[in-house]
Amino acid sequence: MVHNTRAFQEAGIDADLINWTWDDFAKVCEKITAKSGGKMKGSDDLSLMIETFESWVRQNGREFYGPDGKVTATAADVASWWQMWADLRKAGVVRDKNKTVILDPPIAESGVAVGDTAMSHYWSNQLVGIQAVSKDKIGAATVPHKAGGKPGQFIKPSMFLSLSRDAKDTEAAIAYMNAWVNDPEITGILGLERGIPCSPKIRAALTPKLTEVEKLSVDYFTAIQSKVGPLPLPAPKGAGEVRDAFMRIGTDVVLGKVEVAKAAGTFIEDAQAIVERAQ
């Protein structure tokens, strides 16, 4: 969760942003909105962001997709997610619905970048890009969790290297891939361009050359090591279409065209049909 540090300071926010809960998040949204007189809302409305919803499902003790690739998230998971954001919209503490239904907007148009909101959600390796288009200094917080619940977030490599089965010299290919990850000279050239290196030794070697926002990214990565769950299995075929369905059906909820419970049931039915058809 990317946040505007100036707005947090001016509103007197002192929440533990590594261990905070969704209740804490709602209170922060209220404080930010009140302090600005409504000119800045607490957060972008993340109703349609399936990546954040996936953390919500895991906090409920499930994976979005099971080992067989079928959808194991429930209609109750979806309904509770969309209802939470509906309540925040009703309270007037998140970004306007007309901005919310603009799907996959560029970073430069996010609430944090333009100053409409104090929080939004992005991958940690996008912090550099967000800071480049934001007037105020940004900070990094975890996705809020449920009190006493399981971790929802997970650490996912931003890039994967694969060895072709047709490789003629597998030893040379493996050495080449290992160098991309473990060679200080090569990683020094790449820096954080393709994500945070998994090797603590390489991260330590890069640290002296990091910019302030790059250091923020690495410090955040270090802080959450004990606050995350296991990496989920790769998403099944059809996951991209499921994502589209989540945004499409969720848009009707945001615009008040359909009730939360009905929309949630429709999404789960559609999502399961999509992955079954894709197999």
Side-chain angles (χ1 to χ4, degrees):
M1 297 293 288
V2 178
H3 63 279
N4 181 316
T5 57
R6 177 188 60 80
F8 268 53
Q9 184 177 14
E10 290 178 354
I13 306 300
D14 59 357
D16 178 352
L17 300 180
I18 296 297
N19 299 295
W20 64 335
T21 66
W22 285 108
D23 287 340
D24 295 328
F25 173 81
K27 292 175 182 176
V28 168
C29 287
E30 293 169 3
K31 288 184 178 180
I32 294 288
T33 305
K35 179 64 178 179
S36 69
K39 293 180 180 179
M40 177 183 282
K41 303 296 185 179
S43 174
D44 283 359
D45 182 345
L46 305 180
S47 296
L48 309 183
M49 188 168 284
I50 198 170
E51 293 81 4
T52 325
F53 171 65
E54 184 177 1
S55 292
W56 179 268
V57 175
R58 287 163 61 90
Q59 289 171 0
N60 290 339
R62 286 176 285 280
E63 296 290 343
F64 190 96
Y65 296 108
D68 56 0
K70 293 183 178 180
V71 176
T72 50
T74 67
D77 293 326
V78 183
S80 59
W81 174 254
W82 281 339
Q83 187 61 56
M84 179 183 72
W85 291 101
D87 292 342
L88 291 171
R89 283 194 303 275
K90 185 176 180 180
V93 297
V94 294
R95 206 178 192 194
D96 181 80
K97 63 184 179 182
N98 294 322
K99 294 286 188 180
T100 301
V101 297
I102 299 174
L103 305 180
D104 290 327
I107 286 177
E109 295 178 12
S110 70
V112 171
V114 302
D116 286 353
T117 69
M119 289 184 284
S120 192
H121 179 268
Y122 284 97
W123 297 105
S124 58
N125 63 332
Q126 292 178 300
L127 290 173
V128 173
I130 297 168
Q131 185 62 80
V133 295
S134 300
K135 181 177 69 174
D136 295 317
K137 183 179 177 181
I138 63 170
T142 62
V143 172
H145 62 267
K146 294 186 175 182
K150 295 185 177 181
Q153 284 185 273
F154 50 90
I155 293 173
K156 180 178 182 178
S158 61
M159 302 292 290
F160 292 86
L161 294 172
S162 300
L163 175 59
S164 169
R165 64 184 178 183
D166 299 321
K168 295 180 180 179
D169 189 339
T170 56
E171 290 188 7
I174 291 172
Y176 179 73
M177 291 194 296
N178 280 337
W180 272 68
V181 179
N182 296 310
D183 185 291
E185 184 176 356
I186 292 176
T187 53
I189 296 170
L190 286 173
L192 303 187
E193 180 63 29
R194 290 294 178 263
I196 299 170
C198 57
S199 165
K201 179 181 177 181
I202 295 300
R203 291 201 301 274
L206 288 177
T207 297
K209 299 180 181 179
L210 296 179
T211 65
E212 185 177 4
V213 69
E214 287 175 335
K215 188 173 186 299
L216 168 67
S217 181
V218 173
D219 288 347
Y220 170 77
F221 179 81
T222 302
I224 66 171
Q225 293 295 313
S226 63
K227 312 294 181 182
V228 296
L231 178 68
L233 294 171
K237 292 180 180 179
E241 190 178 347
V242 169
R243 183 178 186 271
D244 291 341
F246 188 80
M247 292 189 291
R248 171 174 48 80
I249 297 170
T251 293
D252 286 339
V253 174
V254 173
L255 295 177
K257 294 182 177 181
V258 63
E259 294 182 354
V260 167
K262 182 178 180 180
T266 298
F267 168 70
I268 292 297
E269 291 174 2
D270 286 5
Q272 189 58 52
I274 289 168
V275 296
E276 287 179 356
R277 184 176 67 247
Q279 301 308 309

